[in-house]
Amino acid sequence: MTTTPEAILQQYFGYNEFRSLQKDIITQVLSGQDTLVLMPTGGGKSICYQVPALMLEGVTIVVSPLIALMQDQVDALQRNNIASTFYNSTQSREEQRIIEQKCKDGEIKLLYVSPEKLVSGGFIEFLKHIKVSLFAIDEAHCISSWGHDFRPEYTQLKLLKEQFAHVPIIALTATADKTTRNDILRQLNLENPEIFIASFDRKNIRLHVTPGQDRIKKIIKYLETRPDQSGIIYCLSRNSTEKLAAKLQGAGFSADYYHAGIDSVRRAQVQQSFLRDDTQIICATIAFGMGIDKPNVRFVIHYNMPKNVEGYYQEIGRAGRDGLKSDAILFYSYADVKILREIIADIENPDFKELQYAKLDRMLQFADADICRRRILLNYFNESLTQNCGNCDVCRNPTEKFDGTILAQKAISASIRLKQQVGINTLIDVLRGSKNQHIVENGYDQVKTFGAGREASFQDWRAYLQQMINLGFFEIAYDEKLALRVTELGQQVLKKEHQALLSKPTEKTFAKAKTEKTKTKKQTLSEALFESLRTLRKQIADEQSIAPHIIFDDATLTDMSKKRPYTKKDFLEVSGVTQAKLEQFGVSFIKGIIKVSVEQFKEGATVKGASHLVTYQLHKQGLTPKQIASERAKTESKALNPVTIEGHLISLYQKGYPIDLMHYTSAEAVRDIQQVLHETSSEDGFKPIHEHFGGKYSYFEIKIAKTLLGEVNA
Ligand code: ADP
Ligand code: ZN
């Protein structure tokens, strides 16, 4: 092996460094050892087998469960000149034969195949005739019947070790639990494997939990602040996905729905359209899952409460695979919990039923919490965070506590007088003395505490009662229309034996927190550039009929917008840009960047290097430095000296722009000046030289001669 993993990473993926663990994993794989990799979605698993594949002799066989995704994965690799292809049942025998031949001839480094294809007799036979460098088993948890994505075909993969004892295996999954892990190791029969477990913290995902009232209104408000961003909204029922999608469409958003009840052709269409950024929002049941290998999902909203923390975490994990800021928003309501409990109640196996209730309770504790939500989540997955995350609604909206004993007593007393038969809304109506039909019909307006809590608004009471439930003063009787029941601790509060510390309800908006820093001018400018590059990317993607992220992902566009490369050399410095991508898309993007930078500059913004660009454009029209200066004076507020323009031209030349400096001088002048330059020290400046020639040569000519001199010496 003559090359290093780092060189491969740079050459084929355009990244400067490995993320934690990637390098260790690659070293293991290259040493020929079996490995198991547990890494969250977006953690960067693919690189762990793609880099070795490019370094080892032979073909790496990648087992991937979704045929629909293979095309996309291979497209992306091919765009970076990585010799890869897929092999599946959608291809003709002739196509397959060509691929087989290419593998034999060493023209393929990565071959993607579905598990069912892999284990079919013919394929195994074929593999025996080529050199297989590595087996990479993606989504390895599919092998476990314990997991949520069990695929029976995966269990046959055990034959790999039997038939190819000397070929190393790398198994990868984003499912962290122990049972699944052991199942993978056992079934694949991995030999003395090294196990790598990455942190499952997804720092870029902002966690937010909010009460379920007015969710549609809240969602629309949120979406309005994020035009064109992609997201998924998970609903509990098929019906609600359809209704919600219709409402969002009605409000002018590009939305569609997805659930297991729609036919496979349409399902594929919906996915494709989402992947290609044609549909912005998908309202879906959890059936919309593994197939979404879309890096720029900016938000995942749970319209309804998920039934357990595992599901919740997996679903929000689909946001921000590209590592950029993303939102996870959970709406919760006790009504949802009631429905979920009813579903669980129908389970027959009593142990399983108990387990599901317990899991739902953990989910509820998470939603109710008033400590850092990420700490709770990671704790759940046996990983602990030593500090608050600063990126969840609890961390971002610190609240003040006050003695709320009297408020609590009013609520508890009212609940007791109502025989503990009413739920939150009715209790609030009684406290606030609202005479609606339900209250009057039931005679609730006759109880002694009626109207005792007028000092707080309905919304505030909701928030207080929520806290009282979390603090354990009340319990919710899910089996009796969500009635509130006063607990032992609640009785103590009533008797003044226990103080109720409540926090003031704050307006927690997930669109923007109060603590949000205002953007700098520079950020605003690069965001505008990002938007215009995104449009350009979409245009090119449509022309070539590919998904936009195959051109560049959002992380790359973001870096590009910050760095603003105007030259090919600088373009290559952008993270995620390879030589191959530079050749395919460099010119279009550089042109786009220059255009926006010049526009922003002309609107008065300070944009790195843009003044030079304006000079360059006028220079291309054949104008002299003096003419350029006077031309620019017509439109720009700050007048520029021709000397500055000369400086621009020289610096542009040095950056590699095609500027004919000789146009401003003569070979004779350059020769004369360079002669003298050799004799004078550079500290003296140009004045002595200028005087030496009695003003025969201009300062510009002297500068040019000096620039060209540097070149000869270099
Ligand atoms: P996973 O399969 O674990 O969900 P991917 O392999 O799809 O994750 O990687 C997620 C994203 O991170 C991709 O956009 C990938 O290009 C990017 N990525 C992976 N490794 C690196 C790295 N070393 N530097 C920068 N970006 C990386
Ligand atoms: Zn937090």
Side-chain angles (χ1 to χ4, degrees):
M1 266 177 271
T2 50
T3 180
T4 61
E6 284 80 5
I8 296 281
L9 184 70
Q10 181 61 55
Q11 181 184 350
Y12 289 101
F13 302 92
Y15 300 133
N16 283 330
E17 50 187 19
F18 285 107
R19 290 187 182 153
S20 62
L21 285 192
Q22 281 178 333
K23 181 67 193 295
D24 297 342
I25 295 167
I26 290 167
T27 309
Q28 268 322 305
V29 173
L30 290 175
S31 77
Q33 197 164 6
D34 287 347
T35 40
L36 171 61
V37 174
L38 310 175
M39 224 185 236
T41 310
K45 287 186 282 298
S46 336
I47 299 265
C48 299
Y49 58 84
Q50 288 164 347
V51 169
L54 290 163
M55 298 180 70
L56 295 166
E57 191 197 327
V59 185
T60 289
I61 307 295
V62 185
V63 182
S64 171
L66 293 159
I67 294 183
L69 282 185
M70 282 182 196
Q71 176 81 51
D72 224 43
Q73 286 166 331
V74 167
D75 270 356
L77 292 170
Q78 287 179 346
R79 292 278 167 174
N80 276 328
N81 283 350
I82 296 174
S84 56
T85 187
F86 58 85
Y87 189 103
N88 67 32
S89 44
T90 65
Q91 293 160 323
S92 70
R93 185 64 206 119
E94 180 56 18
E95 281 174 297
Q96 293 183 344
R97 211 194 48 72
I98 294 173
I99 293 168
E100 288 168 13
Q101 191 57 46
K102 281 191 176 164
C103 288
K104 282 185 188 139
D105 296 344
E107 286 170 24
I108 299 285
K109 295 308 290 178
L110 281 144
L111 181 63
Y112 284 72
V113 60
S114 65
E116 50 276 19
K117 192 80 217 169
L118 176 75
V119 298
S120 68
F123 194 78
I124 292 288
E125 207 39 48
F126 152 68
L127 289 186
K128 289 191 172 154
H129 289 94
I130 61 169
K131 164 122 185 85
V132 178
S133 55
L134 172 70
F135 286 109
I137 319 287
D138 207 3
E139 314 282 1
H141 61 279
C142 293
I143 208 168
S144 172
S145 52
W146 278 94
H148 35 80
D149 291 323
F150 177 54
R151 291 184 168 237
E153 320 83 81
Y154 261 71
T155 57
Q156 294 191 46
L157 296 177
K158 55 167 96 57
L159 67 74
L160 293 180
K161 262 295 157 211
E162 293 160 12
Q163 308 259 352
F164 302 90
H166 300 296
V167 178
I169 295 181
I170 176 172
L172 311 104
T173 174
T175 302
D177 75 78
K178 256 202 180 112
T179 331
T180 312
R181 187 197 314 170
N182 292 335
D183 230 9
I184 298 172
L185 293 174
R186 191 176 49 76
Q187 293 209 47
L188 288 177
N189 198 11
L190 298 189
E191 202 173 305
N192 192 16
E194 189 82 31
I195 304 173
F196 294 90
I197 305 177
S199 165
F200 271 69
D201 187 7
R202 300 283 311 280
K203 292 189 180 62
N204 61 317
I205 302 180
R206 175 169 289 175
L207 305 169
H208 203 106
V209 180
T210 191
Q213 288 83 45
D214 296 328
R215 22 197 136 175
I216 295 199
K217 238 169 73 202
K218 288 180 187 165
I219 288 175
I220 290 180
K221 209 169 144 202
Y222 173 81
L223 294 176
E224 277 167 352
T225 62
R226 288 159 168 74
D228 305 324
Q229 290 193 353
S230 299
I232 306 169
I233 307 182
Y234 282 111
C235 306
L236 204 54
S237 72
R238 295 176 180 185
N239 190 14
S240 48
T241 64
E242 297 185 14
K243 276 200 192 136
L244 182 60
K247 284 209 174 108
L248 295 179
Q249 282 166 6
F253 295 101
S254 147
D256 210 337
Y257 62 88
Y258 184 105
H259 54 66
I262 60 180
D263 68 73
S264 61
V265 175
R266 216 182 100 64
R267 276 209 304 243
Q269 275 170 357
V270 175
Q271 276 209 22
Q272 168 99 323
S273 167
F274 185 55
L275 208 59
R276 298 208 167 162
D277 288 349
D278 288 326
T279 305
Q280 187 199 345
I281 305 148
I282 305 293
C283 306
T285 60
I286 54 172
F288 194 53
M290 210 163 51
I292 324 157
D293 213 344
K294 181 175 165 66
N296 63 336
V297 175
R298 291 274 74 85
F299 58 87
V300 169
I301 297 178
H302 280 89
Y303 189 80
N304 300 103
M305 181 95 159
K307 57 180 192 283
N308 56 47
V309 177
E310 288 95 334
Y312 168 72
Y313 203 59
Q314 201 185 26
E315 283 136 30
I316 66 168
R318 287 171 191 138
R321 285 181 84 120
D322 52 15
L324 300 182
K325 279 187 200 154
S326 310
D327 289 326
I329 298 164
L330 164 64
F331 287 104
Y332 80 105
S333 79
Y334 293 116
D336 285 353
V337 177
K338 185 166 172 272
I339 295 172
L340 289 168
R341 290 185 67 96
E342 282 161 9
I343 297 172
I344 297 173
D346 289 339
I347 296 174
E348 277 175 16
N349 179 332
D351 292 343
F352 191 60
K353 187 190 308 209
E354 267 324 293
L355 182 67
Q356 299 309 312
Y357 276 131
K359 287 190 168 190
L360 178 59
D361 280 345
R362 294 290 297 269
M363 187 65 221
L364 201 59
Q365 281 163 16
F366 166 79
D368 277 349
D370 60 358
I371 62 162
C372 173
R373 296 200 199 272
R374 200 173 307 267
R375 292 184 92 150
I376 305 180
L377 270 185
L378 290 175
N379 255 320
Y380 186 89
F381 295 109
N382 303 318
E383 197 181 314
S384 55
L385 210 61
T386 51
Q387 275 179 338
N388 288 346
C389 77
N391 198 22
C392 72
D393 56 330
V394 179
C395 286
R396 283 157 42 86
N397 295 282
T399 49
E400 277 170 53
K401 297 259 192 258
F402 68 98
D403 183 355
T405 309
I406 295 182
L407 279 172
Q409 286 172 331
K410 285 180 181 173
I412 293 165
S413 152
S415 166
I416 291 173
R417 285 178 194 281
L418 294 165
K419 306 204 167 52
Q420 308 193 40
Q421 294 294 333
V422 304
I424 293 181
N425 292 345
T426 309
L427 184 62
I428 300 177
D429 283 342
V430 171
L431 284 163
R432 293 187 27 81
S434 317
K435 280 204 179 189
N436 60 39
Q437 196 185 355
H438 178 63
I439 299 286
V440 179
E441 272 173 9
N442 287 285
Y444 294 155
D445 52 345
Q446 303 303 317
V447 305
K448 203 174 158 216
T449 35
F450 187 75
R454 287 200 170 94
E455 70 269 37
S457 70
F458 191 93
Q459 283 311 324
D460 284 359
W461 266 117
R462 268 203 87 90
Y464 291 138
L465 284 168
Q466 171 70 54
Q467 293 176 36
M468 291 178 210
I469 294 165
N470 295 350
L471 290 166
F473 308 161
F474 287 110
E475 268 168 14
I476 297 176
Y478 288 104
D479 43 357
E480 286 184 44
K481 297 187 177 156
L482 305 173
L484 289 177
R485 294 285 152 78
V486 179
T487 62
E488 187 51 39
L489 190 61
Q491 296 287 358
Q492 288 179 22
V493 174
L494 193 61
K495 288 185 238 155
K496 272 207 161 171
E497 291 166 9
H498 185 92
Q499 195 192 24
L501 277 186
L502 300 180
S503 47
K504 291 226 158 60
T506 46
E507 181 56 38
K508 287 193 206 169
T509 59
F510 40 78
K512 210 173 192 181
K514 284 190 191 117
T515 53
E516 196 104 75
K517 281 188 229 111
T518 43
K519 283 179 197 149
T520 62
K521 186 91 184 116
K522 201 167 162 194
Q523 277 169 332
T524 316
L525 291 170
S526 29
E527 278 172 22
L529 175 56
F530 176 92
E531 281 310 317
S532 112
L533 295 181
R534 210 163 71 98
T535 311
L536 173 65
R537 177 180 67 180
K538 176 73 179 134
Q539 254 169 28
I540 301 175
D542 285 348
E543 278 161 24
Q544 307 197 3
S545 194
I546 49 175
H549 73 86
I550 290 184
I551 299 177
F552 292 123
D553 66 14
D554 283 12
T556 297
L557 283 200
T558 303
D559 198 40
M560 205 179 281
S561 313
K562 278 193 198 132
K563 292 187 175 144
R564 291 183 189 254
Y566 303 134
T567 62
K568 288 186 179 172
K569 185 167 153 280
D570 289 345
F571 196 73
L572 213 44
E573 296 295 311
V574 173
S575 172
V577 174
T578 56
Q579 184 67 36
K581 292 271 177 86
L582 168 70
E583 280 160 20
Q584 295 165 79
F585 309 112
V587 173
S588 311
F589 279 83
I590 291 171
K591 273 191 183 156
I593 296 165
I594 291 177
K595 184 164 165 279
V596 173
S597 291
V598 168
E599 277 164 15
Q600 290 179 339
F601 174 78
K602 287 193 171 159
E603 280 158 17
T606 313
V607 180
K608 185 198 85 183
S611 184
H612 287 67
L613 291 174
V614 176
T615 294
Y616 180 58
Q617 288 180 343
L618 294 167
H619 167 80
K620 272 197 299 190
Q621 295 168 19
L623 272 55
T624 65
K626 223 172 163 176
Q627 288 166 328
I628 293 174
S630 68
E631 190 58 35
R632 289 185 60 167
K634 291 180 195 159
T635 52
E636 291 169 33
S637 52
K638 220 171 68 200
L640 291 174
N641 194 312
V643 174
T644 309
I645 304 292
E646 291 167 8
H648 285 174
L649 291 176
I650 288 188
S651 120
L652 285 162
Y653 172 83
Q654 285 168 330
K655 288 208 178 87
Y657 286 77
I659 291 193
D660 180 16
L661 291 179
M662 291 311 289
H663 182 72
Y664 300 102
T665 181
S666 65
E668 187 200 352
V670 170
R671 203 181 49 238
D672 283 357
I673 298 167
Q674 287 186 345
Q675 188 82 42
V676 180
L677 274 169
H678 279 302
E679 289 155 15
T680 47
S681 100
S682 59
E683 277 134 50
D684 295 343
F686 295 139
K687 200 159 176 235
I689 303 171
H690 188 67
E691 284 168 358
H692 176 92
F693 291 109
K696 181 176 167 201
Y697 299 132
S698 72
Y699 278 98
F700 190 28
E701 289 183 278
I702 300 170
K703 274 187 255 169
I704 291 173
K706 173 131 200 267
T707 307
L708 298 177
L709 177 75
E711 213 158 74
V712 175
N713 288 348

